[in-house]
Amino acid sequence: MTTISEYLFHRLHSLGVQHIFGVPGDYVLDLMDVLTQTPINLICNCNELNAGYAADAYARVKGLGAVCITYGVGGFSLVNAVVGAYAERVPLVVISGAPNSSVKKTNLLLHHTTGDYNLQLSIMEKITVAAVSLTIASQAANQIDQALAACLHYKRPVYIEIPQDLVHQPCNVPKNQLCSSLKLTTPETLPEALEEAVEEAVQLLNKAHHPVILAGVEFHRFNLEKQLLQLLATTGYPVATTMLGKSCISEMHPQFIGNYVGALSRDNVRQRIETADCVLCLGAIMSDMNLGIYTADLNAHKLINANSEKVKIKHHFYQPVYLGDFIDGLINKLHKKDAQTLEFTPAADVISTSFTPQPENKLTNGRFYERINHFLEDACIVISDTGDAIISTMDLLMPEETDFIGQAFYLSIGYSIPACLGAAMADRDRRPIIFVGDGAFQMTVQELSTIIRHRLNPIIFLINNDGYTIERVIKDGAYNDIQPWKYHQIPQIFGESWSCEVSTEGELEIALAQAKVNTECVSLIEIHLDRFDCSHGLMRLGQAMSKK
């Protein structure tokens, strides 16, 4: 007879989950015992927040991630990671152990609780699309299936709470349900709304002389990248991506012009987007950071804005209209425009000239990222932390089969090191390349030990610019100072690794060569930059904000 816990892990494994991240605790130990007897690998983290970040990145690569934690102290430590996954539409399954069901009927004050045994569930209900506490064994299988289906449909977190006394309870699931695949609802589209949305959009696009596509994160989440390529081939339009949508298309594609993030964007990208006579915005989250802290200038009268469930054209709303169906409708109706009349410069032209290092010169932010643009190779995973790192990496060109991961909406500092663990576990064939500032590194550095424990081989660029540079640009003060560490020595504390520090262009060349061939363990390169040496994007943003 299949137990509730066995059924849950069976479902997750059938959906492609091969690793679950977590931290042990007495309320979840029985559940973890069952997990270790399944084909899924349990990856134990240093704390629950890191486990959540790792599972988030795993989901961005694999399509679904899961984290398993204990009750109270575990669940509440995890909350920030769950909120980030909710904000950025990441399908994450949160599994929590809980005290015995019988305890809820008493007034006992148990450890890790406040005495309110619905508190964790009530909090999780507000930051997930489905939250359930299993109480009746005969209903558990259906509740699990409904939660997982919601996670995959909405691409947002769900929460499943399992009391200790239900872990080994048989769930009495019919054999045909155990063997069948999870029933997933297809995205809804109203045919009449779709027809009218496509008709109005095609009219605007056909009249336009300089249209452009702005692609967002939902191409990643809903696996619509191939449809984007087909739309580009059909129309010939140039395409830019939002920061969250970065790498939803190979940035070596001849029609890709760069990332558009308002004032943070390169001047030619910003000009091409903001002077377009029609912007076809597809799958983008219109957040402040995605729009360059609202320095973006997108004329509503020239904007077609389509998301996963609706289309907005000028002041007209069409819903429900699934994004994939809307793109198919455009492909069937639009025709190719002459590339010369569209007037755009491919982003790949940025690396058309070779990089010549000046060995004795002190390394600067601009020169470092210019060199990295020539260092990245096909089939890797680039991960950037919050801060100037994510703004600097915005203009790095992602080669073929290279994914970019960064919290470009929620912006939780410290995300990148645990995310490196999750992404590396999700795809062992692609090497992670990490960019993290010194302040962000201090938040979650302990997860480097888990990366070393599992013999992963990322290249980590630790940008040491003496504190919170992005905050200094906004407003400087003593609160932006942090204790200086000897960052390049830290990996040696955790285990087998290679690391160094560089201050000149010549030292960087030596370090890059060593890191490239060091494929057996972690490589960490500490990059020393001046305190106010930041990206051009951050400087552009500061200038734009100072004018407001």
Side-chain angles (χ1 to χ4, degrees):
M1 183 67 70
T2 302
T3 66
I4 291 172
S5 54
E6 289 171 340
Y7 183 80
L8 171 60
F9 296 132
H10 164 75
R11 274 303 194 206
L12 288 170
H13 188 255
S14 70
L15 293 170
V17 175
Q18 296 174 313
H19 303 81
I20 292 179
F21 303 86
V23 178
D26 54 352
Y27 294 122
V28 79
L29 294 180
D30 288 346
L31 194 58
M32 286 186 167
D33 279 340
V34 176
L35 174 55
T36 58
Q37 299 304 310
T38 73
I40 301 176
N41 297 292
L42 173 61
I43 307 299
C44 289
N45 298 87
C46 295
N47 61 52
E48 290 84 2
L49 177 62
N50 290 353
Y53 288 152
D56 173 297
Y58 187 93
R60 294 178 193 231
V61 176
K62 291 278 284 187
L64 184 65
V67 57
C68 186
I69 43 85
T70 194
Y71 193 76
V73 291
F76 298 143
S77 294
L78 177 67
V79 163
N80 190 53
V82 181
V83 175
Y86 186 94
E88 301 201 351
R89 302 204 69 158
V90 178
L92 174 66
V93 181
V94 178
I95 306 163
S96 177
N100 285 335
S101 303
S102 59
V103 173
K104 293 184 178 181
K105 302 174 183 178
T106 70
N107 293 319
L108 291 176
L109 292 177
L110 293 186
H111 62 284
H112 299 341
T113 77
T114 64
D116 179 355
Y117 297 106
N118 290 314
L119 180 59
Q120 183 166 306
L121 176 64
S122 63
I123 290 174
M124 289 293 179
E125 284 176 336
K126 293 177 171 60
I127 58 176
T128 63
V129 292
V132 59
S133 177
L134 305 182
T135 57
I136 301 175
S138 61
Q139 298 176 3
N142 287 334
Q143 289 177 302
I144 288 169
D145 282 0
Q146 290 168 8
L148 295 179
C151 182
L152 293 170
H153 179 82
Y154 294 104
K155 310 300 181 186
R156 282 196 160 120
V158 296
Y159 173 73
I160 301 172
E161 182 176 295
I162 307 179
Q164 288 174 302
D165 54 311
L166 263 71
V167 169
H168 299 297
Q169 285 285 321
C171 59
N172 299 319
V173 60
K175 186 175 181 180
N176 61 342
Q177 182 174 339
L178 182 63
C179 298
S180 63
S181 58
L182 186 68
K183 293 180 180 178
L184 300 176
T185 56
T186 56
E188 188 178 359
T189 291
L190 183 64
E192 295 82 0
L194 173 63
E195 183 179 356
E196 292 181 14
V198 170
E199 181 180 356
E200 184 174 2
V202 168
Q203 287 179 358
L204 286 174
L205 289 165
N206 283 339
K207 290 178 182 178
H209 296 287
H210 299 92
V212 65
I213 296 172
L214 181 60
V217 68
E218 289 182 343
F219 282 100
H220 283 305
R221 302 293 184 263
F222 292 91
N223 298 317
L224 296 173
E225 293 94 336
K226 289 183 180 179
Q227 282 173 271
L228 176 57
L229 290 173
Q230 189 176 355
L231 180 63
L232 292 174
T234 299
T235 63
Y237 297 173
V239 60
T241 58
T242 64
M243 192 181 295
L244 261 180
K246 186 173 175 63
S247 79
C248 68
I249 181 176
S250 167
E251 298 186 348
M252 297 301 176
H253 191 287
Q255 288 163 248
F256 177 73
I257 62 172
N259 291 103
Y260 176 70
V261 197
L264 280 71
S265 318
R266 292 200 313 269
D267 289 339
N268 67 307
V269 178
R270 185 179 188 183
Q271 181 180 14
R272 182 62 182 83
I273 295 291
E274 295 180 358
T275 60
D277 47 5
C278 188
V279 177
L280 179 58
C281 184
L282 302 172
I285 295 176
M286 307 298 271
S287 69
D288 62 345
M289 190 62 188
N290 244 6
L291 299 175
I293 316 298
Y294 292 126
T295 58
D297 184 11
L298 298 174
N299 189 328
H301 294 286
K302 301 176 182 178
L303 182 65
I304 301 168
N305 190 14
N307 292 102
S308 55
E309 298 168 351
K310 66 178 181 293
V311 177
K312 180 178 183 291
I313 304 176
K314 297 182 179 179
H315 300 291
H316 302 156
F317 288 87
Y318 302 93
Q319 59 185 3
V321 175
Y322 173 54
L323 179 60
D325 293 337
F326 180 66
I327 295 172
D328 283 341
L330 295 179
I331 290 171
N332 291 331
K333 296 283 187 178
L334 292 171
H335 304 286
K336 197 161 191 174
K337 286 188 179 289
D338 187 346
Q340 291 185 340
T341 64
L342 290 170
E343 297 179 2
F344 64 88
T345 302
D349 287 2
V350 171
I351 58 172
S352 59
T353 57
S354 60
F355 178 89
T356 303
Q358 304 296 323
E360 303 302 321
N361 285 3
K362 178 176 173 51
L363 195 59
T364 64
N365 181 289
R367 288 285 287 177
F368 168 67
Y369 285 102
E370 185 181 351
R371 177 64 183 93
I372 295 300
N373 240 344
H374 292 79
F375 176 75
L376 295 178
E377 297 181 335
D378 290 349
C380 60
I381 301 176
V382 175
I383 303 174
S384 180
D385 216 302
T386 296
D388 191 38
I390 200 166
I391 297 176
S392 297
T393 52
M394 179 182 71
D395 288 333
L396 288 180
L397 285 173
M398 299 296 104
E400 296 286 345
E401 299 180 21
T402 294
D403 282 338
F404 177 86
I405 295 176
Q407 274 201 340
F409 172 17
Y410 190 61
L411 296 177
S412 187
I413 188 172
Y415 172 82
S416 65
I417 298 300
C420 167
L421 171 67
M425 288 295 181
D427 189 344
R428 296 295 291 260
D429 294 330
R430 292 191 292 170
R431 193 174 193 184
I433 311 293
I434 317 301
F435 298 88
V436 55
D438 48 348
F441 187 74
Q442 289 195 11
M443 292 278 187
T444 53
V445 58
Q446 63 273 69
E447 217 56 50
L448 186 59
S449 68
T450 314
I451 292 170
I452 292 173
R453 176 184 182 182
H454 290 280
R455 301 183 182 278
L456 304 175
N457 67 347
I459 301 175
I460 300 171
F461 293 103
L462 188 290
I463 314 300
N464 183 356
N465 48 16
D466 195 22
Y468 298 121
T469 294
I470 190 169
E471 307 292 354
R472 294 190 197 282
V473 171
I474 298 171
K475 186 177 182 180
D476 196 16
Y479 37 74
N480 294 322
D481 298 337
I482 61 176
Q483 171 64 22
W485 292 0
K486 298 182 185 298
Y487 295 99
H488 65 285
Q489 295 181 5
I490 291 175
Q492 300 165 27
I493 298 172
F494 295 130
E496 183 180 357
S497 57
W498 174 83
S499 56
C500 69
E501 59 180 334
V502 303
S503 298
T504 68
E505 293 189 15
E507 292 170 348
L508 176 63
E509 290 301 314
I510 296 171
L512 292 177
Q514 178 63 35
K516 188 173 183 179
V517 299
N518 179 41
T519 58
E520 300 302 318
C521 63
V522 168
S523 297
L524 184 144
I525 303 175
E526 180 181 356
I527 308 293
H528 288 278
L529 298 178
D530 289 338
R531 175 177 285 196
F532 284 96
D533 185 7
C534 62
S535 65
H536 292 299
L538 185 56
M539 288 188 285
R540 289 193 293 265
L541 178 63
Q543 292 168 359
M545 291 183 69
S546 66
K547 297 176 183 177
K548 288 186 176 292

